[in-house]
Amino acid sequence: MNDTGAEEEEEEDDGGNDHVGDVTLRQWLRPGRTVDRVACLHIFKQVLEFVELAQKQGVILRTIRPSCFMISPLHRITFIESASSSDRSSEHSTGRAADFPEQDMGMEAQRNPSSHEIDENFPLRQVLAKEQTWYTSPEELAGGASSFASDVYSLGVLFFELFCVFSSNMEWSRAMSDLRHRILPPRLLSESPKEAALCLWLLHPEPQSRPKAREIFQCELFSEAGEALAEREAAVDIEEKEADSALLLEFLLRVQQEKEEAAQKLCRDVQGLSTDIDEVEKRRGVLKHKGLMVSHAERDRIVGGDEAGPSEGNDIVSPVAESRRHSEVLSRSARLMRNFSQLEQAYFSMRWKVDPPGVDMDVDGPSSGGKQIVEASPVAGSANDRLGGFFDSLCKYARYSRFEVKATLRHGDLLNTANMVCSLSFDRDEEFFATAGVCKKIKVFECDTVLNEHVDIHYPVVEMASRSKLSNICWNSYIKSHLASSDYDGVIQLWDASTSQTLVEYKEHEKRAWSVDFSHADPTKLASGSDDGTVKLWSINQEASTGTIKTKANVCCVQFPSDSAHLLTFGSADYKIYCYDLRNTKGPLCILSSHNKAVSYVRFVDSSTIVSASTDNTLKLWDLSKVMRNGNSSNACGLTYTGHTNEKNFVGLSVSDGYIACGSETNAVFCYHKSLPMPLATHKFGSSDPVSGQENEDDGGQFVSSVCWRGKSQTLLAANSMGNIKVLELV
């Protein structure tokens, strides 16, 4: 709000007061100010009106002190003292007192003394203590009861402070002490005799001799200044209305600006949609033309080369096939409409990555560049084809809608209730998968046998026992029979599944180890993360660690990319993801921070993209190339996936061909596609009896604890906290 006129008048009135907002009257009454007679009478008149109103309601205020009033730049007075300080209950307090409930300026100063100090030698706390004594009437100091006359005495002291200015705080303090004995400064007596007379009347030692509030209004001083006070009040009212109108104007201009920006954005969006609609229609035309040519060629081959006209070629599709295709289109369309707003957001997000808001959309219209895309690949487009990219995402989202159960098995023993599966992993050729968990056993199953044999109980082909609960397992990508495990004692073990024996044990972690991972690029290298705040680097050819990365928080997960043995990422309990170049572990390459709780999993989607899971109920997609290029991780998070529930447990995370699977504390599996923020498929486990294995509707506090894709297929392994494992297929 711009109020230049008011500020200029303030400088003229009180010697250059540069307060922008409201201040206390005590701050306003500073030494060295200039006295404006009309302005001071206007201030006093407002306080007097307040006292008169209180007296009419039978309320004795006892708080007529400068620290209990706020003054605006336009000299508008507001009472801020709590009504609890008066001699009547709060139901008798005025409306203005309610503007600042239970706020005493003395307490305010104690909370913020530095913001209200008068100077270093005369702090406000000392002033407030003196003020309370100066404004207390003689009868109250003598132990008598408070009365309306006591408030009038306080008015006299305030009147004196308004009309007297002192060069220093010490001079002001001496004058206030003299005032107790009704000794006024000679300058006030000589230059302002009427003001001095009114002051002495208000400060009369006998309470009954002091005037009532209405009598003060009738005194000669107010009668003479009546016209000037009325003009002053009118000017203040006009200035306040001007200030309010300026505020209204500023608000309306801001709304207009935002609406204009929204309208421009809407125009750009509509223009972009029109461009993309034209492009899609062109691509559809190309496809139909190619389809018609293929149909004619096929028909010519069948009938031995007889010519068929275009009109005959249109009759090849049977009514049944056409009806089936139409039903499928309607089904997919209904599913898309249920997630319309999220798909719309994803579409415009992809468009803005190429054409940021503010860029002329005509540049990206259906020009020669679009024709080249149609000719090269009419649907999928090139790597830079924005529309093709969204089309690909939409197709992958629409392609699958649910999980289908292909097989079910149990990890634990029937008589053991501690059966939670903590980790699942496929071997190098994806023929076998291993399970591990709190039952202290690694079990290896043959996948095709589990899928093809319809039996109630599946037996593992290999079973290996550990001394401690297992938290994670990982197969070696080169040596088929080798796998590594981490356990609750902090031990990292290397196993040979072909002999069911332990090859080597690494015991350098001091606390529980949560994660272990083999490098795909260098299968002799592996890494582990622990609650001791370290990441250990190991080699299968050495008994001791080859390196250690120390952090300040628990390490929850570690992950190598598929194409590099030098890059390592890990998630931490400090809500962050760390990326390290193992050739220089003195400091991280980058730190990714956007999660609100501990990062429980990190997985590579491709060589420059990772997805992370956290107990803040989200997954996040990160673009490492942006961080490496700009050195700034603030915009590295490209997408946040929500829908599942994850607040306190490890629920699993797995990525394959752009599809992201995770568990949920609702005992369900969720599947996302990397380009869209909402789940495309879910599967509810249901609760199961620990003995019979039969499922029921109540989940009983169970949760999905691990998931793992089978390569680039649609097959997903999922297990829950009761040891139930399901082989699911995305359909």
Side-chain angles (χ1 to χ4, degrees), residues 92-163:
H92 295 292
S93 63
T94 66
R96 286 189 176 179
D99 290 342
F100 299 85
E102 300 181 2
Q103 185 176 359
D104 182 86
M105 198 57 211
M107 296 179 65
E108 174 86 11
Q110 292 178 28
R111 287 194 297 267
N112 267 319
S114 61
S115 63
H116 296 294
E117 287 186 358
I118 294 177
D119 64 32
E120 295 180 358
N121 301 319
F122 219 67
L124 183 58
R125 186 177 299 179
Q126 182 180 350
V127 171
L128 294 177
K130 291 178 175 294
E131 181 186 84
Q132 188 164 5
T133 302
W134 292 333
Y135 278 77
T136 302
S137 64
E139 61 271 18
E140 290 176 303
L141 287 177
S146 300
S147 63
F148 293 141
S150 302
D151 286 344
V152 173
Y153 182 89
S154 300
L155 281 174
V157 181
L158 176 61
F159 187 85
F160 173 78
E161 283 207 76
L162 285 171
F163 283 90

Side-chain angles (χ1 to χ4, degrees), residues 326-600:
H326 183 66
S327 298
E328 184 180 351
V329 170
L330 288 178
S331 175
R332 289 187 176 187
S333 178
R335 183 161 172 258
L336 294 181
M337 290 305 103
R338 287 196 298 269
N339 297 283
F340 181 82
S341 60
Q342 290 172 304
L343 288 170
E344 179 187 21
Q345 183 180 359
Y347 164 76
F348 284 113
S349 176
M350 290 185 181
R351 169 169 273 280
W352 291 339
K353 286 179 182 178
V354 179
D355 301 313
V359 177
D360 188 358
M361 300 302 293
D362 288 335
V363 175
D364 223 23
S367 60
S368 58
K371 292 179 182 178
Q372 292 173 2
I373 293 174
V374 173
E375 291 172 3
S377 180
V379 176
S382 65
N384 296 322
D385 179 17
R386 175 199 64 248
L387 189 58
F390 180 73
F391 173 76
D392 182 60
S393 301
L394 195 63
C395 288
K396 289 189 175 182
Y397 176 78
R399 185 176 301 159
Y400 305 110
S401 60
R402 61 187 177 87
F403 281 108
E404 188 175 281
V405 180
K406 293 298 182 181
T408 303
L409 64 154
R410 285 183 58 80
H411 170 72
D413 302 322
L414 291 177
L415 300 180
N416 186 2
T417 57
N419 292 324
M420 181 172 67
V421 178
C422 297
S423 184
L424 300 164
S425 183
F426 277 96
D427 75 331
R428 181 193 66 187
D429 301 324
E430 299 171 358
E431 296 175 345
F432 299 92
F433 64 86
T435 67
V438 298
C439 69
K440 305 180 183 180
K441 292 180 180 179
I442 299 174
K443 297 184 180 183
V444 180
F445 297 87
E446 187 176 5
C447 189
D448 289 339
T449 302
V450 171
L451 289 172
N452 297 329
E453 291 186 2
H454 301 287
V455 295
D456 294 333
I457 300 177
H458 294 276
Y459 292 97
V461 295
V462 174
E463 186 172 301
M464 297 170 283
S466 172
R467 291 186 296 272
S468 179
K469 297 177 182 179
L470 296 163
S471 57
N472 190 227
I473 52 173
C474 178
W475 287 89
N476 190 295
S477 62
Y478 182 76
I479 307 173
K480 182 177 177 65
S481 62
H482 284 193
L483 72 158
S485 68
S486 58
D487 66 27
Y488 279 42
D489 288 336
V491 178
I492 308 300
Q493 292 177 284
L494 183 63
W495 304 82
D496 187 342
S498 63
T499 61
S500 302
Q501 298 297 317
T502 303
L503 297 176
V504 64
E505 290 186 350
Y506 306 105
K507 298 182 177 181
E508 294 186 20
H509 282 301
E510 299 175 358
K511 294 182 180 180
R512 172 171 46 191
W514 282 117
S515 180
V516 63
D517 188 47
F518 270 110
S519 168
H520 292 265
D522 182 359
T524 65
K525 182 183 294 185
L526 64 157
S528 60
S530 167
D531 274 343
D532 62 10
T534 65
V535 173
K536 295 284 185 178
L537 305 175
W538 314 92
S539 172
I540 62 175
N541 301 319
Q542 299 182 32
E543 294 183 356
S545 63
T546 60
T548 301
I549 300 173
K550 295 183 179 181
T551 68
K552 296 181 180 179
N554 305 35
V555 178
C556 303
C557 55
V558 295
Q559 184 76 25
F560 283 101
S562 61
D563 59 349
S564 173
H566 304 303
L567 181 63
L568 180 71
T569 64
F570 58 89
S572 176
D574 64 0
Y575 313 170
K576 297 175 182 178
I577 302 163
Y578 296 85
C579 301
Y580 272 83
D581 186 335
L582 299 184
R583 293 167 295 187
N584 180 13
T585 59
K586 292 182 179 180
L589 281 176
C590 64
I591 301 175
L592 307 176
S593 58
S594 181
H595 282 295
N596 297 320
K597 288 189 177 180
V599 178
S600 50

Side-chain angles (χ1 to χ4, degrees), residues 660-716:
I660 304 167
C662 70
S664 173
E665 288 165 5
T666 57
N667 207 21
V669 179
F670 281 72
C671 179
Y672 301 86
H673 187 262
K674 67 177 183 179
S675 58
L676 298 171
M678 65 284 191
L680 62 88
T682 62
H683 175 75
K684 180 80 171 180
F685 258 66
S687 178
S688 62
D689 185 89
V691 177
S692 67
Q694 295 181 348
E695 292 188 356
N696 53 62
E697 293 298 325
D698 183 17
D699 61 25
Q702 299 177 26
F703 59 93
V704 171
S705 53
S706 184
V707 294
C708 182
W709 288 106
R710 187 185 188 185
K712 293 186 178 181
S713 68
Q714 285 74 52
T715 301
L716 178 73

Side-chain angles (χ1 to χ4, degrees), residues 274-332:
S274 299
T275 301
D276 288 346
I277 289 171
D278 292 341
E279 185 68 24
V280 171
E281 288 177 345
K282 286 183 180 180
R283 297 184 182 191
R284 282 173 56 85
V286 172
L287 287 174
K288 286 182 179 180
H289 178 68
K290 287 186 176 182
L292 188 60
M293 293 175 63
V294 171
S295 298
H296 285 173
E298 181 68 14
R299 181 168 181 174
D300 290 346
R301 186 186 65 80
I302 293 173
V303 301
D306 294 340
E307 289 190 5
S311 60
E312 296 174 357
N314 292 334
D315 299 328
I316 293 177
V317 181
S318 67
V320 175
E322 182 68 27
S323 176
R324 187 183 303 113
R325 186 175 68 176
H326 183 66
S327 298
E328 184 180 351
V329 170
L330 288 178
S331 175
R332 289 187 176 187

